[in-house]
Amino acid sequence: MDRRQFLSTSTAALSFALVSGAAGSPALALVQGGAGSGDAALNALFEKIFQGRVSRFPELASSLGLDKGANAHLKSELDVRPIGAARAEDLANLKAELASVQAVPVAGLSRAAQLNREVIVYQMDTGLIPAEKFGIDSVQRPYPIFQQSGTYFSTPDFLNTAHTINNAADAEAYLARLALVGKSLDNDTEEQRAQAARGFLAPAWSIDLTLGQMRKLRSPAPDANTMVDSLVRRTAEKNIAGDWKARAAKIVGDSIYPALDRQIAAMEQLKPSSKPGDGAWRLPQGDAIYAAALAQATTTNFSPDEVHKMGLDQVAEISGRLDAILKKAGYTKGSVGERLAALNAAASQLYPNTDAGRTELIADLNKGVKAMYARLPNGFATVPTAPLEIRRVPPEIQDGASNGYYNRASLDGSRPAIYFINLKDVGDWPKYSLPALTYHEGVPGHHLQISLAQESKDIPTLRKLGFFSAYSEGWALYAEQLADELGGYTGIESAGYLQSFLFRAARLVVDTGLHTKQWSREKATDYMVATTGFARPRSQREVERYCTQIGQACSYKVGHMAWTRAREDAQKTLGAKFDLKRFHEVLKEGAMPLTLLEKRIKERTAAEA
């Protein structure tokens, strides 16, 4: 993911959907009342902001499926503004947008519109911080180029997944975008040089991973490059005639590879100047950046020490629960982490580390998704219709990529949601651990939550694609727990679900340890392996992500605690009147900060009492 995609899909900027207007369901109307006199004006403003963003971010337009009609020209474009100038321009636009939303008086707004205004103002306020206070694009991702960020990392996948090809015009648009990739690479290189001079340069090991991935992208002959292959394969599938391979290969050879060579040379030149250490403390204003990142990721004001202690406490509690399950399964020797490691290595739990084994693993994941869909009506009144695909992380970026992640579907239905799994080493994925991952990334996790918001008729389109990590990742962990209630785990698979929770609790310890207690990458990896029993390569990839994407790892368990606490409070208040399906309908109100989520659930609960 590069800066353009990050800024257009994070809390630092607003991502909006297609249609404007807020339609209230009967359940919501019970709490919110009817529309207020100011609602229409607020929604019109939201739509104006949305349209402005789509026109400025071509990648956003394609990811939403809005690069059609009057916006068709965007399909041939990439945002190739010089990054420093783009940051200043985007900051000015965000300030103007915030002022326009704040100018809408709260008086005259319905409760639903008040909530929308609160959420958007919160997003915009936090979105100002990185550029205004620190001169960077993101407090959670302070390095311009690292093992999971930059044009080299994100653009090939963007072109392959978000840029749809159905006709010759789409293929020509692909070539037009391909011709801009070299410029985008050079912009990244220029920005990294400028930020390195200020002290924002990833650790040396991260640069090594980055260079390795760049060289993998660079190594094939131009006509065998993954970006060329994507165009050739998809035009062939649609029987679109044209000399696509030769034309794309020429662009790659004449423009992209030279820019990539320049970027590789720059990163090699900059690497010796990388400061020692792995955490945010190595950055200028590192403590302040981490504080802002932790607040943005968790939407709370917890201090790093509070989060660290929270993690230690939860590691102890979850380890105790796992101890009993593992003993019952015959794993009695050693620490909980050692016993989990033994379970991970059991022959019965392993797929062959071959292409056939990878195919079998993905097929089993699809079976798990299908089985859970059949159970969803027991816990949900509304089930999303957006399709979900499961794909392997592209091999050329798997060395630095996350172990698993989710990309939402386009709004127009032209592209499905995708759940990616890193299959560099199939041994990272023992069979008992996979159901929890599928429930987290698929249903009832990210896919259900995000798709319900996109399809909801209860919120204005302004908020349908709003993202708050603590809300979404907290929901996904809650979904792993909910899957247990829905009968989603068999036998030792329940240990996989608790191991997942243990992993997220350990993240609280590791993230705060890295960024405020000066833990090294090695110490953090040692702790993760010893605590969770995950294989060292998998654990190290996770730790490397926390080093370069600061604070985000804390959002999962903090968010999970908010969701479970809110449900417990609702159950206590309503007693026998509590309806799980009705409780989950809050998802249709869209993502929001945790404080607002708990407030909304209390309002909904009071309306039903």
Side-chain angles (χ1 to χ4, degrees):
M1 179 180 287
D2 64 14
R3 70 170 297 278
R4 292 163 293 278
Q5 289 165 280
F6 178 77
L7 289 177
S8 64
T9 57
S10 72
T11 58
L14 302 176
S15 297
F16 308 134
L18 182 57
V19 218
S20 65
S25 71
L28 289 176
L30 181 67
V31 178
Q32 298 164 345
S37 60
D39 288 13
L42 182 63
N43 286 335
L45 175 60
F46 290 163
E47 180 68 10
K48 179 182 177 182
I49 293 170
F50 163 63
Q51 295 295 346
R53 287 186 174 275
V54 169
S55 68
R56 292 197 302 275
F57 294 99
E59 295 89 344
L60 175 62
S62 290
S63 69
L64 299 180
L66 301 183
D67 51 3
K68 300 174 177 66
N71 290 327
H73 65 95
L74 295 172
K75 194 161 188 172
S76 300
E77 300 173 11
L78 296 175
D79 180 3
V80 290
R81 296 173 296 165
I83 294 175
R87 183 164 50 248
E89 181 181 337
D90 293 344
L91 178 63
N93 284 330
L94 185 57
K95 286 181 175 180
E97 290 164 357
L98 174 59
S100 67
V101 174
Q102 289 178 321
V104 177
V106 175
L109 295 179
S110 67
R111 179 65 192 100
Q114 290 175 25
L115 175 66
N116 295 330
R117 186 181 182 278
E118 283 183 277
V119 172
I120 297 308
V121 167
Y122 183 99
Q123 284 182 304
M124 290 178 168
D125 272 335
T126 57
L128 295 173
I129 292 171
E132 193 168 50
K133 291 190 175 181
F134 305 111
I136 56 180
D137 285 331
S138 167
V139 288
Q140 292 183 53
R141 300 163 65 92
Y143 305 115
I145 298 175
F146 61 94
Q147 78 273 12
Q148 290 187 18
S149 184
T151 295
Y152 85 92
F153 184 88
S154 62
T155 297
D157 188 50
F158 167 80
L159 290 172
N160 186 49
T161 58
H163 186 107
T164 55
I165 296 179
N166 294 305
N167 51 49
D170 293 341
E172 293 290 351
Y174 186 103
L175 289 174
R177 277 181 157 162
L178 203 62
L180 295 171
V181 173
K183 174 61 176 173
S184 186
L185 285 164
D186 284 336
N187 284 346
D188 284 356
T189 303
E190 180 183 357
E191 173 70 2
Q192 181 58 88
R193 286 189 185 280
Q195 294 290 7
R198 301 179 60 226
F200 292 93
L201 179 65
W205 54 260
S206 171
I207 296 174
D208 285 338
L209 283 171
T210 301
L211 286 167
Q213 294 181 146
M214 288 176 176
R215 291 175 181 129
K216 281 186 179 180
L217 181 63
R218 173 66 176 83
S219 61
D223 64 0
N225 184 273
T226 182
M227 290 178 282
V228 176
D229 178 71
S230 175
L231 177 61
V232 171
R233 172 177 48 81
R234 291 191 287 155
T235 51
E237 289 170 355
K238 295 293 177 70
N239 295 313
I240 303 170
D243 193 10
W244 308 114
K245 185 174 184 177
R247 293 173 66 191
K250 180 172 176 55
I251 295 170
V252 169
D254 292 352
S255 174
I256 296 177
Y257 278 0
L260 198 52
D261 288 339
R262 291 189 289 272
Q263 189 162 98
I264 289 170
M267 296 306 292
E268 288 173 335
Q269 181 185 43
L270 290 170
K271 178 185 166 184
S273 66
S274 179
K275 297 177 183 176
D278 300 315
W281 55 269
R282 68 194 291 276
L283 296 169
Q285 297 180 271
D287 289 346
I289 289 175
Y290 185 64
L294 191 62
Q296 188 182 77
T298 66
T299 62
T300 71
N301 292 317
F302 288 130
S303 71
D305 284 342
E306 288 173 323
V307 173
H308 194 81
K309 183 180 185 304
M310 190 186 304
L312 291 172
D313 291 344
Q314 293 211 11
V315 163
E317 187 270 328
I318 298 166
S319 295
R321 294 170 64 188
L322 272 165
D323 177 57
I325 292 174
L326 291 170
K327 284 178 178 175
K328 186 176 180 181
Y331 290 87
T332 60
K333 296 180 179 179
S335 67
V336 166
E338 289 168 341
R339 281 178 275 163
L340 287 169
L343 178 59
N344 291 345
S348 62
Q349 294 296 328
L350 298 179
Y351 292 91
N353 197 29
T354 62
D355 288 343
R358 292 177 175 89
T359 299
E360 181 187 358
L361 187 154
I362 289 178
D364 285 348
L365 294 180
N366 278 300
K367 290 177 186 175
V369 168
K370 184 177 180 180
M372 180 51 68
Y373 262 109
R375 293 185 171 96
L376 290 181
N378 295 323
F380 296 89
T382 310
V383 175
T385 60
L388 174 66
E389 287 188 10
I390 303 176
R391 297 185 189 176
R392 178 184 180 180
V393 169
E396 62 268 20
I397 62 170
Q398 66 187 7
D399 290 353
S402 301
N403 288 315
Y405 52 93
Y406 173 86
N407 283 355
R408 69 177 77 220
S410 64
L411 291 172
D412 68 342
S414 61
R415 179 180 49 77
I418 305 169
Y419 146 30
F420 285 96
I421 182 168
N422 193 327
L423 297 181
K424 178 181 180 180
D425 185 349
V426 175
D428 288 342
W429 301 110
K431 294 178 181 179
Y432 80 97
S433 69
L434 287 172
L437 177 72
T438 292
Y439 303 147
H440 184 105
E441 302 291 349
V443 291
H446 286 319
H447 182 59
L448 183 142
Q449 175 252 309
I450 291 172
S451 297
L452 278 183
Q454 288 190 182
E455 296 173 12
S456 176
K457 294 180 174 61
D458 295 334
I459 55 174
T461 56
L462 171 75
R463 292 194 42 238
K464 285 191 176 182
L465 298 184
F467 179 78
F468 292 92
S469 188
Y471 177 102
S472 296
E473 298 297 354
W475 169 265
L477 265 194
Y478 168 79
E480 295 181 41
Q481 177 180 318
L482 178 65
D484 190 34
E485 298 178 54
L486 297 176
Y489 302 105
T490 302
I492 198 64
E493 289 174 355
S494 61
Y497 137 59
L498 286 176
Q499 184 187 39
S500 172
F501 273 37
L502 180 62
F503 171 45
R504 273 44 180 250
R507 282 176 162 179
L508 301 177
V509 180
V510 167
D511 196 81
T512 50
L514 284 165
H515 298 299
T516 65
K517 301 182 185 300
Q518 299 197 16
W519 283 21
S520 66
R521 175 181 61 144
E522 291 74 21
K523 179 176 180 177
T525 303
D526 288 344
Y527 177 84
M528 187 67 77
V529 171
T531 302
T532 68
F534 283 143
R536 188 171 191 87
R538 176 181 176 181
S539 298
Q540 183 165 305
R541 279 199 304 274
E542 285 291 329
V543 168
E544 288 165 350
R545 176 160 73 93
Y546 314 153
C547 292
T548 51
Q549 298 181 65
I550 64 179
Q552 194 269 346
C554 297
S555 61
Y556 297 69
K557 209 64 181 67
V558 172
H560 170 254
M561 288 186 292
W563 274 106
T564 54
R565 183 171 58 246
R567 176 175 160 178
E568 288 167 2
D569 289 346
Q571 287 176 294
K572 287 177 184 176
T573 300
L574 294 175
K577 293 177 65 178
F578 177 79
D579 184 323
L580 185 62
K581 295 181 183 181
R582 185 179 292 274
F583 174 79
H584 291 151
E585 288 288 276
V586 74
L587 290 175
K588 292 160 69 175
E589 295 191 22
M592 60 189 80
L594 295 181
T595 50
L596 290 181
L597 171 66
E598 294 188 84
K599 181 179 178 182
R600 280 297 299 130
I601 290 175
K602 286 180 180 178
E603 290 175 348
R604 292 173 66 98
T605 301
E608 295 172 20

